[in-house]
Amino acid sequence: MGIIIEAAGRYYSVDEEIRPAATGRVLVHNHVRPAQRSGTRGFRCWEADPEPKYVACGCGWRPELGTHHRVESPRTSPWGARRSTAPGRS
């Protein structure tokens, strides 16, 4: 499987070694529960320029890679548990 290019950066392919982000960039993963390999169970990770939508993540995924980020979502918490936005509900 080859490398997939996307607007914010470059997705790591399933067979590619994930490395720490280059200077001035951040390692990011999506909202799916982290896996060791990109592409497993819908998990994707990529290297991108820093943006406000990427927030520091403390999930413990691949600590040897240093600080990483995740895509912030106003509708879901990490790993897909829905947060209610209805008044009076938590």
Side-chain angles (χ1 to χ4, degrees), residues 3 9-10 13 18-19 29 33-34 51 53 64 75 87:
I3 297 171
R10 179 179 65 77
S13 66
I18 300 170
R19 297 174 305 278
H29 66 72
R33 185 176 300 274
E51 292 185 36
K53 68 181 179 180
E64 72 277 10
R75 296 185 56 202

Side-chain angles (χ1 to χ4, degrees), residues 19-81:
R19 297 174 305 278
T23 302
R25 301 198 27 109
V26 293
L27 182 61
V28 183
H29 66 72
N30 61 359
H31 67 284
V32 176
R33 185 176 300 274
Q36 289 297 315
R37 292 175 29 184
S38 189
T40 303
R41 299 185 316 274
F43 175 72
R44 298 284 183 272
C45 62
W46 62 95
E47 186 179 297
D49 291 326
E51 292 185 36
K53 68 181 179 180
Y54 300 140
V55 297
C57 184
C59 72
W61 171 72
R62 303 290 303 268
E64 72 277 10
L65 298 176
T67 301
H68 71 275
H69 296 70
R70 65 175 170 79
V71 176
E72 181 177 47
S73 172
R75 296 185 56 202
T76 60
S77 64
W79 331 140

